[in-house]
Amino acid sequence: MMDSKSEELVVLPLVARIVQTPTAAVDASNSEGADFLIYDVGGNSQHEELVSSVFEHVKIPVFVMVGSLGDRKLFSEALNLLESGVSGVVISMEDLKSVSDDDFGKLFYSAYALKNKTEEKVQSNSQLNVLDLGNGFPGRKAMAGFTSLHDREQQLLEKEKLVLREAIHVIEKAAPMMEEVSLLSDAVSQLDEPFLLVIVGEFNSGKSTFINALLGKKYLKDGVVPTTNEITFLRYAESDVDESQRCEKHPDGQYVCYLPASVLNDMIIVDTPGTNVILQRQQKLTEEFVPRADLLLFVMSADRPLTESEVNFLRYTQQWSKKVVFVLNKSDIYQNKGELEVAIGFIKENTQKLLNTDCVTLYPVSARLALEAKLSTFDDAHSQSNRSSNDNFHWKTKGFYELEKYLYGFLDASTSTGIERMKLKLGTPIAIAEQLVSACQGLVRQECQQAKQDLLFVEDLVNSVKECTKKLEIDSILWKRQVLSMINSTQARVVRLVESTLQLSNVDLVTSYVFRGEKSTQMPATTSVQNDILGPAVLEGQNLLGEYTKWLQSKRDQEGQFYKQSFEKKWTSFVNPSDQVELDAIGVLERKSEVSRRVIEDFSAAAASKLFEREIREVFLGTFGGLGAAGLSASLLTSVLPTTLEDLLALGLCSAGGLLAVSNFSSRRQQVVDKVKRTADGLARELEDAMQKDLLETTRTVEDFVKVIGKPYQDRAQHRLDKVLATAEELTKIEKKLKALRIDIQNLHVS
Ligand SMILES: Nc1nc2c(ncn2[C@@H]2O[C@H](COP(=O)(O)OP(=O)(O)OP(=O)(O)O)[C@@H](O)[C@H]2O)c(=O)[nH]1
């Protein structure tokens, strides 16, 4: 076992410890992990000590070495120890020769008598002594340290039921729509029932006749046309009941028939409808029943062995890893043994390939002859003996009796087939559970994938708002350009007005500014700047920014709608589950940002015009306020000259003082122009910032809106993913438990 390379191997080697004292025995059993002990008595009688100190405390098998059994004293010591419940006596091959057959008999008898004695005691009195306890296991009916196979089976059975119930719970949670879980529930309740031998095969292959032959009486109908249309359980009944009450039909359509055939004592035989493509309903019924079978008896007809539909059916049974025993029925139709062997060879070769195994069990039988023989045994013993002498008859009936022997072996737990029966029975629900768990794992994997995709979808959608922000930003450039160009053209017009107003040749203006001073009424240039330039420009700006704000709001609503619809389209069944979310989302969308509009509204054309006038006035006053009549006359002179240079020339000709005074005029005018430009630039910057603020606020609103409406979807997807992952973990755990259970079952063996 240690050398085995097989990864499948799960059987660990047994560890034996040789001990000489009770303390060493207890230590080896409790903490050193020995599987059994060999207690070296070493010729000193330690009977009492062994019983009180070792058997009571050690929970593993204890074998004793007493020395040569040829010695009468040691021999009787060995007998005493065996009777006290020791698991066995270790003896060398050399010493074995010195033990007579008679003494051997006594040794075995003492062990056997002990077993019977303890069983009787258990039945008659629950007060168990040390021997009955089997080293501390109350209720054990076997020798020291051993758990009987029956007890082991019971322990496994209880453990299996717990694991399977847990599996049902996990499966129902993982796949609530999986109807097949009822198969598992049925199989669990079937665990307490006898072994389920299920007879399958194509219609007319002789299943009913075969079952009758097994039962020894013609209980079932047979015939050349399909006779079995429902699943029929054949169960044991004490005596032949009244004909009308013999069979019960259950709500699921299955029949249960109670028969007094002894073979049904330890197994239930199930007759199934014949399989064949043309009998679809029957085929389905039988297929659905296959998982519940502990053993499948696959009946084939010798006149058409291994048809295509049989091959398909066989393949199907392998999905459930069912053990199949093949029965080649009607083998009486072969002329001789040679023909039969050819047929057997053909079937074996092909089924071996199909089942991918070298080990195919096949019994050639003649159910008809076997039944006839059984029926005639009772009323025609003579004819039976005649038949038995007939070699031809013998090979035709031999197979059936061999199969019968095999099946009876199944009922005896002390044989290897008996152990196999236990393993098959315990394995049936496990195979179903494994299949269902694996199907659930497939579903859960898909669901997990889906949940991850959903989560990703929500995250992608929420993140895609950033793209929308970029797009808006690009589109908003156009708006900004419009506003800037409006400011630019206004500024240009004002500058032009400044330049045309601030002319020395503007005699009227000069006169009115210089002589009327502050008291002068509003100048035409100021009126023009307010009415013709700034007033209309502010109006235009207000309109433009009003449009801009509206555009932003419509974009915000459009985007919001787009995201809302995207979520709703993806999860049609889950449209904003909570009113609160709806309210929050509306609240977000109601947020308005109109910073840029406020900026333009706060800009007063009248105030700006006043400022303009003051600037103009200051330039004139600063220039002409100190000039005398000469300067003024020069100025008058220049009124006919169009340009500044000419102005200056004229002034220069008229008066040196005038020249000095007005020489600053052009730079003052430039200062006003610069001031106008600065003011316009400042306003442009302020508006641009305000527009950017509005834009950012709008995109933030869209982002917040998408987050609010996306949250329930995101939570839902995350919750679903968490749930699916938790279910996947539960499935893995139960899968491991089932595997461990399967290994325990595989390790069942006769002690
Ligand atoms: N020669 C021969 N005929 C058999 C044998 N066993 C059954 N038959 C015949 O085969 C026919 C079909 O037998 P059934 O036992 O009804 O077959 P079945 O498989 O139960 O049929 P369905 O229940 O319809 O699926 C009957 O006519 C039987 O007499 C046999 O061993 N040898």
Side-chain angles (χ1 to χ4, degrees), residues 19-26 37-58 60-66 77-78 80-82 84-89 130-131 135 144:
V19 291
Q20 279 161 334
T21 63
T23 321
V26 174
L37 298 180
I38 297 177
Y39 197 102
D40 188 359
V41 181
N44 308 316
S45 177
Q46 303 173 344
H47 191 114
E48 294 303 318
E49 201 183 2
L50 260 178
V51 171
S52 63
S53 309
V54 180
F55 292 179
E56 276 185 30
H57 299 108
V58 170
I60 52 176
V62 182
F63 296 85
V64 287
M65 267 196 307
V66 288
E77 176 65 17
N80 281 342
L81 286 169
L82 276 172
S84 299
V86 78
S87 309
V89 178
V130 173
L131 309 178
N135 289 347

Side-chain angles (χ1 to χ4, degrees), residues 281-312:
R281 178 183 165 272
Q282 285 86 333
Q283 168 106 8
K284 194 159 175 273
L285 276 181
T286 302
E287 278 182 1
E288 281 172 359
F289 197 78
V290 161
R292 292 183 55 187
D294 293 322
L295 175 68
L296 287 176
L297 225 69
F298 196 104
V299 181
M300 285 180 279
S301 180
D303 51 6
R304 45 178 162 94
L306 221 53
T307 62
E308 195 183 332
S309 76
E310 278 175 334
V311 168
N312 291 337

Side-chain angles (χ1 to χ4, degrees), residues 559-594:
E559 291 297 332
Q561 206 53 28
F562 164 77
Y563 282 102
K564 194 163 182 282
Q565 280 170 1
S566 301
F567 283 119
E568 289 173 357
K569 211 162 103 190
K570 173 86 179 164
W571 287 282
T572 38
S573 58
F574 181 70
V575 180
N576 272 343
S578 111
D579 291 347
Q580 191 52 45
V581 172
E582 196 84 39
L583 284 176
D584 288 351
I586 293 170
V588 171
L589 275 195
E590 274 172 356
R591 274 183 351 213
K592 277 190 182 154
S593 181
E594 300 184 330

